[in-house]
Amino acid sequence: MVDPAPASRPDRRPRVLQSFAEPGPTTNPHLVLLMRALRRSVVVETFSWRRALLSRYDVLHVHWPEVVVTKTTRLRTLAAVALFAATLVRCRLRRTAVVRTAHNVAPHEHLPWTTRAVLRLCDRTTTWWIRLNPTTPLPPGSRATTVPLGDYGDWYAAHPEPDPVAGRLVHVGIVRPYKGVLELVGAFREVDDDAVSLRIAGRPGSPATAAEVAEAAAGDPRVQVALRHLDDAELVAEVGAGQLVVLPYRNMHNSGALLLALTLRRPVLVPANAVTDALADEVGQWWVQRYDGPVTGAVLSSALAAVAGGPPAPPDLSGRDWDVLAERHLEVYAEAVRAAHGR
């Protein structure tokens, strides 16, 4: 019997359905980098309702489930909730493993009760959790593995980095109330130094947030805002021009903006807690400046003085290499498949 040509053989590698659609310009780079790294070893498909409900896959990997079911209208959201519930029931009946990455402790926005109900179903259906740091709270009895966020070096490497502007504070990312942007502007106004400036850049989460930030920044020429989506080159330019990236989140847990700053070799100022203390131990204390209590003008001035002399060494991001992180994900997938089949 003639052995079939390699191209005609079915691909028997494990199949993973990710919960995000085919990547576009605004897709979180973390998801794209993860997909690229995983595709060296497993078949990875992006999300559609047809694939979720009709195709064969060994693992459904859910990232932000609220994003899966939040649509532009109430009717479309209700339809997505029903389809996602059907997908989860199908996974349970077929013993398909559901892996969930806990990016946040809780959703950032208020959600309707139908969405909250399907998120609870997702929690109950999850076979194995991936948490980005070991302090993430999970449902009692959950099977879990800690796999940290990866760095963004490969993603932004093609874009030139500007030299930092002395005294410039930068805040980047989607502008939402929980990130403490209004508090940052208030604290900055306490700094009596014309050589210090503040730049806020990123897409606002709502028109109301955009109006509040613009109003808070008005009247101080040292404060500049760019309240819009930034492409990759613009994001590198904004972060690179900062002497210090300031992320005064009210509840700092996981932050892509923080990892982006470290990838581009810019120090960050963040609230002190178990997560940021551990990150400072990992990458180097100089790179993760921390403060207790509310952010104030004195906090900002002190952090700028602390980083003025330059870093003692580059940040240590060796534990966030994507080849290593992909292997960790593959181990989770294998464990989840065994658990879903009762082995």
Side-chain angles (χ1 to χ4, degrees):
M1 182 176 180
V2 178
D3 190 43
S8 66
R9 295 176 180 150
D11 193 335
R12 299 299 187 190
R13 293 180 299 164
R15 304 181 75 85
V16 179
L17 179 63
Q18 298 286 344
S19 69
F20 54 90
E22 196 64 24
T26 61
T27 302
N28 190 317
H30 168 85
L31 301 178
V32 184
L33 291 167
L34 174 62
M35 182 172 65
R36 289 176 182 174
L38 289 173
R39 278 181 168 166
R40 300 177 190 132
S41 303
V42 295
V43 178
V44 180
E45 295 181 327
T46 52
F47 193 84
S48 71
W49 293 121
R50 181 180 180 85
R51 285 174 177 163
L53 292 167
L54 300 178
S55 70
R56 182 191 70 81
Y57 47 91
D58 302 288
V59 176
L60 172 63
H61 188 168
V62 180
H63 293 273
W64 292 271
E66 64 273 20
V67 173
V68 177
V69 298
T70 299
K71 304 300 177 183
T72 54
T73 68
R74 173 184 276 185
L75 184 59
R76 289 182 177 178
T77 295
L78 286 173
V81 165
L83 291 170
F84 190 45
T87 299
L88 294 170
V89 170
R90 180 180 189 258
C91 288
R92 180 173 289 178
L93 293 175
R94 294 174 63 90
R95 294 188 177 183
T96 300
V98 177
V99 171
R100 169 88 173 274
T101 296
H103 290 274
N104 308 313
V105 175
H108 297 313
E109 313 295 344
H110 176 73
L111 302 173
W113 73 266
T114 52
T115 300
R116 298 197 301 272
V118 82
L119 295 190
R120 289 193 295 270
L121 175 61
C122 184
D123 286 354
R124 293 195 300 271
T125 309
T126 296
T127 315
W128 209 283
W129 292 78
I130 293 175
R131 54 189 178 187
L132 303 178
N133 66 70
T135 68
T136 302
L138 297 175
S142 298
R143 302 180 179 96
T145 301
T146 300
V147 184
L149 281 170
D151 71 73
Y152 296 105
D154 291 342
W155 187 265
Y156 295 104
H159 303 291
E161 298 175 24
D163 292 331
V165 176
R168 176 171 293 183
L169 304 171
V170 172
H171 179 94
V172 296
I174 299 176
V175 180
R176 290 192 170 110
Y178 82 91
K179 294 186 176 182
V181 181
L182 295 178
E183 292 89 335
L184 172 59
V185 176
F188 178 79
R189 287 182 175 276
E190 298 173 8
V191 179
D192 186 16
D193 186 347
D194 289 338
V196 178
S197 60
L198 172 62
R199 177 79 171 171
I200 299 169
R203 176 173 59 86
S206 70
T209 298
E212 289 175 343
V213 172
E215 181 180 359
D220 190 335
R222 301 175 303 162
V223 183
Q224 297 181 342
V225 299
L227 300 178
R228 56 180 175 78
H229 171 72
L230 305 176
D231 63 27
D232 291 344
E234 291 173 317
L235 192 55
V236 171
E238 293 286 0
V239 173
Q243 185 178 358
L244 180 67
V245 175
V246 186
L247 304 172
Y249 295 7
R250 295 170 187 168
N251 295 291
M252 172 64 74
H253 194 66
N254 297 309
S255 170
L258 195 161
L259 260 295
L260 169 62
L262 295 178
T263 298
L264 297 179
R265 299 180 302 283
R266 294 296 182 269
V268 295
L269 174 64
V270 291
N273 61 26
V275 175
T276 57
D277 289 347
L279 182 63
D281 289 339
E282 176 189 351
V283 304
Q285 297 289 326
W286 185 90
W287 292 97
V288 185
Q289 301 290 321
R290 286 148 290 156
Y291 64 92
D292 293 304
V295 62
T296 64
V299 166
L300 298 178
S301 297
S302 177
L304 274 174
V307 301
D316 183 2
L317 297 173
S318 58
R320 295 168 185 267
D321 176 80
W322 278 104
D323 288 335
V324 174
L325 301 184
E327 286 298 322
R328 301 276 297 277
H329 277 80
L330 294 175
E331 292 168 3
V332 169
Y333 293 159
E335 291 283 3
V337 168
R338 284 192 286 270
H341 286 83
R343 298 197 298 270

